[in-house]
Amino acid sequence: MDKKQKIIAAALEEFQANGVEKTKVSDIVKRAGVAQGTFYLYFPSKLALMPELARIMVGKTLERIEQDVTKKEDFHSKLHQLIESTFSLTKEYRGIFAIIYTGLAASDYLQQWELIYEPYYEWMTAFLEQADKQGTIRLPLPATRFAKLAIGLIESAAEQTYLYDSGSQQEACKTIADTYAFLTRTLCADKPASF
């Protein structure tokens, strides 16, 4: 692991242990085993780490989706797997997501969000365009626009469940079903499907 990666990993551990506000750069470099000057070669402040943490989580999201969304399944099964995968990841990493949102909101880095999410937007756009070309769905908007809205809906529903609500499995199952129903009714008005 190079020094930058050590700093990022150490920062994540410190943020999880002490919160973003209470964590100092000196805590991060001590945990990383690097000099404080080395930290500033890569990051101007501790909040400058937030886009890096967000990139890591977008990467984990895409890895999980690629792993969970079966290539041979039909669109409806894939969409349901995608939603379940997002909920699972959000539950597993809820603390990290909370740190990222807190850190990005408290800094000037929130404007980088769209760039960070671009690989996920591209994946979702291709997923939707393929289903549209096959006649499985009817896109009510351009695919790129709908991809952003769909990702926002799915992630918001997962975050509502695991970051703000009780996070119970029963509530998660209901919200997954509702999110799936909402998207399929929008995309498949003439071809309803149920799960």
Side-chain angles (χ1 to χ4, degrees), residues 1-165:
M1 193 182 312
D2 67 18
K3 289 180 182 179
K4 183 178 180 181
Q5 296 306 313
K6 284 181 181 178
I7 291 168
I8 293 167
L12 185 53
E13 290 173 13
E14 285 295 323
F15 292 151
Q16 287 177 299
N18 304 311
V20 175
E21 267 187 46
K22 291 182 181 175
T23 296
K24 299 181 198 101
V25 170
S26 58
D27 301 326
I28 296 169
V29 297
K30 183 178 179 184
R31 186 179 289 261
V34 299
Q36 194 148 336
T38 304
F39 177 92
Y40 291 109
L41 288 174
Y42 298 105
F43 304 102
S45 70
K46 68 179 178 182
L47 293 178
L49 285 154
M50 295 306 156
E52 290 298 323
L53 297 178
R55 276 187 197 85
I56 290 167
M57 292 314 297
V58 168
K60 284 187 182 299
T61 299
L62 286 170
E63 285 174 21
R64 179 73 61 89
I65 288 168
E66 289 292 328
Q67 172 189 322
D68 292 350
V69 177
T70 309
K71 303 278 186 227
K72 295 179 183 177
E73 295 288 336
D74 62 276
F75 172 79
H76 297 287
S77 296
K78 288 179 185 178
L79 179 61
H80 201 270
Q81 289 168 341
L82 168 65
I83 295 166
E84 286 180 329
S85 182
T86 303
F87 271 68
S88 172
L89 191 79
T90 304
K91 181 180 181 182
E92 184 177 344
Y93 293 105
R94 69 178 136 214
I96 295 171
F97 283 117
I99 288 166
I100 292 168
Y101 297 144
T102 300
L104 284 173
S107 69
D108 294 330
Y109 296 101
L110 193 56
Q111 67 224 15
Q112 293 183 22
W113 197 255
E114 292 300 300
L115 289 173
I116 293 167
Y117 259 69
E118 194 58 39
Y120 192 8
Y121 293 152
E122 289 172 6
W123 184 93
M124 181 67 88
T125 298
F127 174 64
L128 293 168
E129 284 176 338
Q130 180 183 17
D132 189 48
K133 284 178 188 168
Q134 293 172 342
T136 306
I137 63 170
R138 178 187 45 78
L139 282 166
L141 302 169
T144 53
R145 217 144 140 69
F146 197 87
K148 288 182 179 185
L149 292 171
I151 290 168
L153 171 68
I154 296 165
E155 287 190 343
S156 180
E159 291 158 9
Q160 185 69 41
T161 301
Y162 293 116
L163 275 81
Y164 313 120
D165 287 345

